[in-house]
Amino acid sequence: MAEGTYEFRVSGEISERIRDVVGEFSEMRIVAAGPATLIYSSVPDAMHLHGILKLCEDLGLHVVSVQRLPDPQRAP
């Protein structure tokens, strides 16, 4: 169920310090998106998904939404 690529939308722009911490997780990509920031990550299982959410909480990020992205290899 949890396996796939996810988009985590957090409110506001994130600081360079937080970008550096998140950037330590090589599978994460950070994209500024207006009044929000998008973090993309490959998620192999539910434990990893919960770990990313815990990291966001520990960094004081307000997660607005979490969305599993469609798998391009499964597209019709």
Side-chain angles (χ1 to χ4, degrees):
M1 174 186 115
E3 183 179 0
T5 300
Y6 282 73
E7 174 190 274
F8 301 84
R9 180 178 295 267
V10 298
S11 61
E13 290 186 32
I14 60 175
S15 69
E16 282 301 314
R17 182 186 69 79
I18 292 176
R19 280 181 175 270
D20 290 344
V21 170
V22 173
E24 290 176 12
F25 297 89
S26 61
E27 76 278 1
M28 291 185 173
R29 185 169 55 98
I30 302 167
V31 178
T37 300
L38 305 176
I39 302 171
Y40 295 95
S41 181
S42 176
V43 176
D45 54 35
M47 182 182 289
H48 194 89
L49 178 62
H50 290 285
I52 293 171
L53 292 171
K54 177 72 172 128
L55 173 65
C56 289
E57 178 184 358
D58 291 348
L59 293 172
L61 301 175
H62 175 74
V63 177
V64 176
S65 66
V66 177
Q67 170 176 291
R68 184 170 182 249
L69 301 177
D71 183 352
Q73 295 180 355
R74 293 188 180 187

